[in-house]
Amino acid sequence: MSRADRVARPSPLSWRRDTEPREGRIAPSVLAAVTALVALWPYTSVIEPGAWSFAVVLVVAVIAITGIGVRALLARRHPALRDAAALLAQLAVSIGTITLLVAGDTAYLGVVSTPATLSTFSSLAAAAREEIVFGTAPLDSSPGIRLVMAAGFALVAIALDQLVAARNAVLAGVVCGAVGAIPMIVTLADANVVWFVILGVVVLLLFRFTAQRDPHSPRRTSSAVAVGAGAAALVAAVAIAPIVPVSASLAGTGAGVTVDASLRLGDDLRQPNPVEVLTLATDADTAPYLRLTTLSRFDGRVWLPDEADTRPQSDGFGAPDWDEQVAAEEVSTSIRVVRMSSSWLPVPYPATTVQGLTGAWRLVPENRTITSRTADAAGNDYTVAWSAVTPTREQIQAVPAAEPVSDPDAEPVELPDEIGATAAAVTAGATNDYDRLIALQNWFRSQFTYSLETPVEEGFDGTGAEAVARFLEVRSGYCIHFAGAFALMAESLGMEVRIVVGYLPGSRTNERRGEEQVFSVTSDQLHSWPEVLFPGIGWVPFEPTASLGVPTAFAAAATTGGGTTAPSTPAPTTSPQAEQTSGPEIDRADAGGDAGSTGTLRRLDPMPVMLVTFGVLVALTLPALARLAQRTARRGRARRGDAAAAWAELRATMIDLGIAVSDADSPRRRGSTLVAENGVDADAMRALTDAVERASYARSAPPADLVPALDAVMRQVRRSVARPTRVRALLLPRSLFAGTGADAPLLA
C-alpha cells in the first residue's frame, strides 16, 4: 500500500462491521424516555400546570427503569424473550404506579387494583372525556386529566421503549412527532418552532443510535455530512414549510377550521386566507346568524360553556320560549358543513326541528343547539326549521329582563368598579331594560372601533374582568371584547345574559338550490355576540361589535299597523339593515374578493413559490455543494504539489462514479487499469502515479502542479461512464457517505 493511500486514509477502516454490536441495556430505555418527554412538552400549553405532569414524568421514568432492570437480568436470554419480559413488566409496573398516584386509597397495598379502583378509573375517565370534549384549553389539572394523561403516556413510553430497543428509529420518530403534534393540531395553535427543532434533534439521535448498532452500518461516517443533512432538514421543516402557498381546495372536503366552546377566536380571525366553512340555502332574502353553543358562566377570567342535559332528536327542542302574542315566522334553512370541525352543529335560533342527521347528534333544549360526543360537524348536510321571533317594540319594552341566576356553590366574582359605573352612565337616560340594552349597543357601535391587533398590542386579548376594563379604556377590539364587555355591563344592571359563539350571516352567491338562495360562510366570519333573557319573549340577541352584523332594533307596533309584524331590524333574524356586514372589515393583503373555496390562490404572489423552490434546490444540492467544496480544497493542495490530495480526489471520483476501488491495488496498477478500461491518457496517468510514488518513497520531491494531470484523468474517467451515472455522481456523491476507506462495489 502506498504512502499516498495511507495519508488519504487515516486508518484501514472497512465499510461493514465484522461482529454484531453489543446489546445496550441502559441507552435504549433512556433514549425512549427522553423521546416520550419531548412528545409530552406540547401538552403543557393546553393543560394547566398541576399534578398531571408529575404523574406522567414519574410513569415514564418508572417504565425506563423497569426496562433497564429486566434487560439486565435477562441479558443472556434470547432477545425476543427479553423484550417480551420487559414489555409485560413495564405494563404491570405502569398500572401499579398509576393506581398509586390516582386511586391508591381504593387499591390493595396502594398498587393492586380492586373493583373499587376500576370503578374510580371509570368515573374519572368519563369526567376527563367530558372535560376534553366540552372544555376549553388550557384544561384544568383534574384527577381525570391526570389519569388519562398518565395512562396515555404510559402506553407511549412503553411503545417507544420497545421500538428503540428493536432499532426501529423511523416508527419511534413518527410516534413522537404524531403524539406531540396533537395539541397544536386540535387547538389550531401556531407551530412551536423550538419543539420542532428539539424533535428533529431527537429523531437524529434515534437514527444515530439505530445505525451504530446495525452490523451492516459503516464504522465511520462523515459527521459534517450528517450534521449538514440534519440542519437542512430542520431548516426546510421550520422555515420553508410554513410559507408554502396552499390552495383553498387542497384540503378537499375535510375540516379546515376547528371550533371549540371558547372565546379564543382571535387566531382564527387573524388567519390570512379565510376558507369557506359552510353553505346554507334559504328562501329568505338574507341569511340568519348561526350559533354553535353558548357561554353563561363567568369565573372572573373566562366565560365557561353551558353544561346542559341533552335529548334525542325525536324528543324535539321542547316548548317555545315565547308567548303566543309574540309574532314568530317559521323558516326553513338547509346547512351543509364543508370545512369546519366541531362537536357542535351551526343552527339558526331558535331552532324547532332538525332533519338529516344521524342519531349521534343530540339536542340541547336549554339553548336550542345540537351537539355530539362522538360525531364531527364536517361533512354533515341537514335542514333546520326555526322561528324568526319578532316582538314589537312596545311588547319588549313592557317586559323587564330576567334577573341573573346565581350559583350558590360558585365563588363570587368581583368586577372592576368602572364596568358597573360605565354601564350606569351610558344607560342613565333609559327607562326600561330594552332601551338600556339598545343604549349600550349604540354606544359600543358608535364610540368604539373594530381591530384584531389592538388587543394583542395592548395586552388584553381575552374576556376576563381586567381585560374588559382595559377594553373600555382603549375602546378598540374585536367581537369577543364587545360581547364580553356588553355581557358584564348588562349583568351589572341586573339582567341575565349569555354569550353565543357562532357565525355571522353568510354572503350571497350566484348558486341556487331549487327556489332557495345559497349563501356562503367563511372562516373569518366566526363571531360572538351577547343575548339577554326576556320572559315571554326568550333570549334576545344584540350586536354591539362596531361595523359588524345587524344591530337589534324592533319596530313600533304603530308603524306596522297592528303590532305583530316583523320589525325592521331584528338582530340575528332574517331582516338585516342595509349596514349589515358579513365579516370583519380588515385589510387582508393576501385575500381576494371571494372567500369561498374556488380551488385557486387568492393572489398570485410569486415570492412563496420562489422561496420554496430555492429551499428545495438547496436541500437537493447540499451533497453536491459539500463535494464541490471538498474537491476545490483538494485541487488547491494538488496545485501546490500535494500528491496525496490529488490521489484522494481521483479515488473519491471513482467511488462517486461507481468504479471499483480496491485497497490491494498499488497506484501504478490502479493507473494501468484506468488506462486500459476507462481510456485515460497514459501520460497524464503516469504523471499522477509518479508523483504518488515519489511522495511515498523519495526522501524529498520538488513540488509540481498536479492539477492539469488530475483534471485530464478525471475528465476521461467521467467520459467512460454513462451520462445518468455522471448525473448521479454529481447530485449524490457516494464518497461523502462511504468514507475514505470504502470499496465502491459495497456501496452499490
Side-chain angles (χ1 to χ4, degrees), residues 183-340:
M184 287 172 278
I185 295 173
V186 171
T187 62
L188 291 181
D190 293 334
N192 188 333
V193 176
V194 176
W195 179 78
F196 273 107
V197 171
I198 294 177
L199 173 63
V201 173
V202 168
V203 170
L204 291 178
L205 289 175
L206 289 170
F207 286 157
R208 181 75 173 179
F209 175 82
T210 300
Q212 286 179 337
R213 283 153 180 78
D214 191 332
H216 300 291
S217 65
R219 287 187 177 182
R220 183 183 179 193
T221 58
S222 174
S223 299
V225 172
V227 173
L234 290 175
V235 170
V238 174
I240 303 299
I243 60 176
V244 175
V246 180
S247 167
S249 64
L250 184 61
T253 60
V257 175
T258 300
V259 181
D260 60 13
S262 73
L263 291 179
R264 292 180 174 87
L265 311 184
D267 291 339
D268 294 315
L269 294 174
R270 281 186 282 266
Q271 291 295 325
N273 293 314
V275 298
E276 184 181 63
V277 293
L278 60 93
T279 61
L280 58 94
T282 179
D283 53 7
D285 294 331
T286 56
Y289 279 57
L290 299 175
R291 69 181 49 215
L292 292 167
T293 187
T294 59
L295 306 91
S296 59
R297 294 175 296 141
F298 183 67
D299 64 1
R301 297 184 303 111
V302 296
W303 287 85
L304 303 174
D306 292 329
E307 298 177 354
D309 295 333
T310 62
R311 62 174 60 170
Q313 299 171 38
S314 58
D315 291 350
F317 286 98
D321 301 326
W322 54 96
D323 295 336
E324 295 181 356
Q325 295 80 7
V326 178
E329 178 186 0
E330 289 297 319
V331 184
S332 177
T333 300
S334 298
I335 301 172
R336 179 177 298 167
V337 182
V338 183
R339 289 185 181 86
M340 186 201 72

Side-chain angles (χ1 to χ4, degrees), residues 15 44 137 285 351-352 509 679 718 740:
W15 174 257
T44 59
D285 294 331
T352 54
T509 69
R718 291 192 185 97
T740 58

